[in-house]
Amino acid sequence: MLSKNKTGWLLLSPTILILGLAGLLPFIYVLYVGFFQWNPLAVDPSLQFEGFASNYRRLIFDEVFLESIWRSIKFSVVTLTIELSLGFVLALSLLSSFPLKSFFRSVHTLPLVIAPIVVGSIFKLFTVQGLGPLPHILKDYFGYTLNYGLNADQAFWMIVIMDVWHWTPFVTLTLLAGLSALPQDPYESAKIDGANNFQIFTYITIPMMVPVLIVVIFIRLMDSLKIVDEVWMLTGGGPGYATRFTGIHIWKEVFEKRYYGLGSAMSILYLYITIVICWVLYSVMVARGKNEE
Amino acid sequence: MRKILFALVASIFSFSAMAGGHADWFKEAGAPYKGTVLQGVAENTPPGQFAGEVLAKEFEKLTGIKVQLENTSWDQMYDKAIKDMEANSGIYDFVYIEQDIVYDYLNRDFLVNITEGLANNPDLQAPGVSLDDFTTFIDYFKDGSGDVFGVPMEAFIKVYLYRKDLFERADAKAQFRAQYGYGLTPATSFDQYRDNAEFFTHFCAAEGMECWGTTVQGHTGHPASTYEFLESIAPSFGLYNWGVNMDSYQSCVENGGQLNGGRAKAALNFWTQLLPFAPPEALQSTWSEVGSSFAAGRAAQGWVYGENAAWIATDAEKSAVVGNVGVMLPPTAPGVMTQAASGNGYIGYYDGGAYGIPHSSKNKEATMLWLQYVALNEHQADWAIAGGRITHKDTYADPKVMAVDEQADGYFTLMRDTGFLYAGAPPFPFHGAGRGAIDPFIYSALAGEMTPEEALDGACQALDTVMADLGYQN
C-alpha cells in the first residue's frame, strides 16, 4: 500500500512541482506584495508596510475599482445568458439533420480557434469608423451611427457581441456533447405519457443537462470575468471608463501607473469575489438540482 | 517599402564606401563577439524599421554579430522592455528609450552609462563616432553630470500639416472669404484653425470628397489622446509641464498648479470642439491613424508627428497627398512664441527616442559596438530619408536630405531652424503614473461624458493624488 502511494506521489511530483512553481509561488508573492505600498516610480521605491489591510481598505472605497467589478459582473451575466441561450438552440439544432450540417458545424466552430487578440483586431477592422464596413452599412442603409469611440453603450454592446461571436461555439459544442450522451429511455417514457416538446425540454432535458450546464457556466463565467485582450484591442477600456473591466483596470494600475502593491491587492480581492460568485452559483444550482430530483 | 529598398541599395553603396573607412575597425573590434546575438525591442516606426532591416544586416555582415530587433507596438514595447529590466532577466541587450520615459529609467537605474562604459573600454571606442555630432536632442538622454545613457536614433517635431491643393483652390478661397470675411490661409491662430476646420468639413461634403477639416488624435481608450492634449494643444495655449507646479508638484489651481486653469480649459474646449470637423475615425485614432488619415487625404489640416510628416509628403506608395503637403509651425496663443523663444515655454513636443543598454544585458560590449555603428555619420542621410528623422547636426546639409526637404515643403529645415521652440516631456520620474491618472478624464471629455471643465478639475485632482501618493509633494 505504502509502495503504491510512493509510486503515485512519484508520478504526481512533476505536476505538483510545476503547479507549485507556476501557480502557488506567484500567488503567494502577489498575496505578500498586496500588503505593501509599492510603486517603483515613487520617491521611495521600496516596499512600505502600512498595515495588512491598508490596500484592501483603500479598495473598498475606490469607486473606479468597484465600478469596474460591477461592469465585469454585468458583462458576464449578459454574455453568459446570451451564449447559453444561443448555444442551447444551436446544439439542439445540430442534433437534427439538415443540409450542409457538417459545413455549418465547421464554420460555426472557427471562431474558437482564433486568439482573443486577433478577435479584437478583426472586430476593430470591421467596425472602426472610417475604415470598417459595418459603420458604413449601418449608416447608409439604416441611418444608424456606430461610433463606439464616442458612445459608451455601443462600446459595451460591441464587446458583448464580440464575446458572443467568439465563445458561443464553445457552449454549443459542449452542450451538443452532453445532449448526444443523454439516455433515450426517459424521452420514450415521456412521449408515451403524452408530454409535449416543451414539457420534455423543461422536465427531462434541462434537469439531465445540469452537470454539463454547471461546467459550461463555470468555465464561461470565469473566462468572461477576466476578459482583457479583446477589449484592449477594440476600445482600450474606453470611452472614458465604459469598457474598463476589472482585468483592464488592474493592468492599467499595475503596468501603466506601477501601483504594484495596490494592483496585487486588487487581483487578490477580485479572485476572492470570483470564487464567491462561483460558489454561490454552484450552491444554488446544486440545491436546485437536488430539489428537482 | 520602396523607401526601405531604396535605402537598402543606397546603404550598400555607403557600406562599400565605408569599407575603406571604419569597416576595418568594426570588423576587428567585433571579432571577439562573432556569433553573438543581440536582442532589442523598439517601437515600430519607420526609423526603427530602417535600423532593423538595413543597419542590423550591414552590422552583422561586418562583425558577425547578429542583431535581432523586435519592432512592435508602443504599448508592447514598454511592456516588454520594462518587465525585462525590472526582472533583470537579460532578454534584451538594447531597448528603445522614448524621450518621455528616460527620467523614469534613469531614476530606477535601468540603464548602462554609455559614456563611462566607453571611457573604461577604450578598445570599444569606434573612430568616427562622436557624441558631439548629435543635435542637442542627445541632452535628454544625459544625467546631471552630462553622461550619456542612450544613443538617439530618431528625433522629430510635431508640426502643422495642411493640404496645399485644398487651401489653394480658387473656389474654396472665394467661398471662405464670403463666409468668414477674411482670406483662406493655413492657420496661425486658433480661431482661424477652427474656421478652416469648419469650412473644409462643409466644403468637402459639398464637393463629394471624403475629407474633413482637421485631424484629432482623440482615441478614447489610448494615451495618444492625452499626449496630443498635454504635449501639443496645451503648450500652444501656454500651458507647460502638464500644468504642474515644478516646485510643489501640485497641478490644481487652488494648490498652485494650472492643469484646471484658464489656459488649460481654453485648450481642451478648443480641441474637443474640433471633433465635429474631424474624420469619424478621430475617436479611435492614435498617432499612427492620424498619419494614415492625413495620408489618405481625409483631413485638410492637423497636428501630425514628424515621423509621419516626411513619408506623408514624399512616399507616393503610401500617401495620396504627395506634392500637396504644406508644413508649418502650429498656431499658438499670443505670447507663447515669445516665451518659447526665450526658453520659458515651448510650442509643442520634440519627440524621439534612443537606444540604451539595460544593466541586465548579457552582451554589453557587443551592444556598445552596435550602438556606435548606429551613430556613425555615414548612415544618417539615408536613415533620415527612410524615416524622416534627424539626430546629427551635419545631416541637414546632406544633398540627399536637402532634396527630400524640398519635396516635404521644408520639414527638415523647419526642424533645424525652429526645433529650439519645442521641448521633450517634462522631467517627471512618475510620468506613466501621472499620465495614467489623467487619461480617463481626457477620454471622458472627448466622448462628451464630461465637460472640459469637469474633466480638468477631475484630472488635476487625480494627478495630485498620484504625486502625493508617490511622495513628490512637499
Side-chain angles (χ1 to χ4, degrees), chain A residues 64-114:
Chain A
V64 177
F65 176 64
L66 296 178
E67 277 171 18
S68 81
I69 292 178
W70 167 236
R71 200 174 292 119
S72 300
I73 293 173
K74 190 173 108 181
F75 171 76
S76 296
V77 171
V78 171
T79 51
L80 202 57
T81 309
I82 299 174
E83 284 166 16
L84 267 183
S85 316
L86 204 57
F88 224 125
V89 170
L90 287 168
L92 287 169
S93 313
L94 285 169
L95 275 180
S96 50
S97 303
F98 55 87
L100 297 173
K101 180 179 156 183
S102 345
F103 174 74
F104 173 77
R105 197 165 49 193
S106 307
V107 171
H108 167 259
T109 314
L110 278 179
L112 263 187
V113 298
I114 304 175

Side-chain angles (χ1 to χ4, degrees), chain B residues 235-308:
Chain B
S236 59
F237 271 81
L239 180 85
Y240 311 120
N241 300 323
W242 303 5
V244 171
N245 182 319
M246 302 296 276
D247 296 321
S248 61
Y249 286 105
Q250 298 273 4
S251 69
C252 287
V253 168
E254 50 274 30
N255 301 322
Q258 290 180 32
L259 184 54
N260 60 339
R263 284 174 187 270
K265 287 177 176 172
L268 191 55
N269 267 298
F270 162 77
W271 190 48
T272 52
Q273 283 168 16
L274 291 179
L275 283 170
F277 314 127
E281 65 270 23
L283 292 176
Q284 288 136 34
S285 292
T286 68
W287 34 75
S288 305
E289 286 83 10
V290 162
S292 303
S293 291
F294 198 94
R298 291 170 67 81
Q301 57 178 356
W303 269 267
V304 179
Y305 279 95
E307 66 201 81
N308 295 320

Side-chain angles (χ1 to χ4, degrees), chain B residues 40-53 68-73 77 96 153 355:
Chain B
V41 64
E43 187 183 2
N44 189 16
T45 59
Q49 288 163 15
F50 183 86
E53 291 165 29
Q68 287 182 333
L69 177 54
E70 191 181 334
N71 283 316
T72 183
S73 71
M77 175 267 296
Y96 178 84
M153 49 73 67
Y355 290 146

Side-chain angles (χ1 to χ4, degrees), chain A residues 41 43 58 128-129 149 258 260, chain B residues 86 220 280 284 469-470 472:
Chain A
L41 304 179
V43 171
R58 186 171 164 181
V128 72
Q129 276 279 344
R258 307 270 151 195
Y260 292 163
Chain B
E86 277 179 349
T220 49
Q284 288 136 34
D469 250 5
L470 302 183
Y472 287 91

Side-chain angles (χ1 to χ4, degrees), chain A residues 39-44 58 124 127-130 136 147-150 152 232 234-242 244 251-252 255-260, chain B residues 75 79 82-83 86 104 107-108 219-221 223 280-281 283-284 298 429-430 432-433 435-437 439-441 443-444 446-447 449 466 469-472:
Chain A
N39 188 321
L41 304 179
V43 171
D44 182 352
R58 186 171 164 181
K124 183 160 189 171
T127 59
V128 72
Q129 276 279 344
H136 277 293
N147 190 345
Y148 55 80
L150 179 68
W232 186 260
L234 191 68
T235 64
Y241 289 107
R244 193 155 163 163
W251 192 93
K252 284 183 184 260
F255 294 110
E256 279 191 3
K257 296 167 78 177
R258 307 270 151 195
Y259 279 106
Y260 292 163
Chain B
D75 324 57
D79 199 31
I82 292 174
K83 278 177 185 163
E86 277 179 349
D104 177 12
N107 193 42
R108 298 171 71 184
H219 199 300
T220 49
E281 65 270 23
L283 292 176
Q284 288 136 34
R298 291 170 67 81
F430 53 83
R435 200 222 59 240
D439 283 341
F441 297 95
Y443 302 159
S444 296
L446 285 163
E449 292 167 356
V466 165
D469 250 5
L470 302 183
Y472 287 91

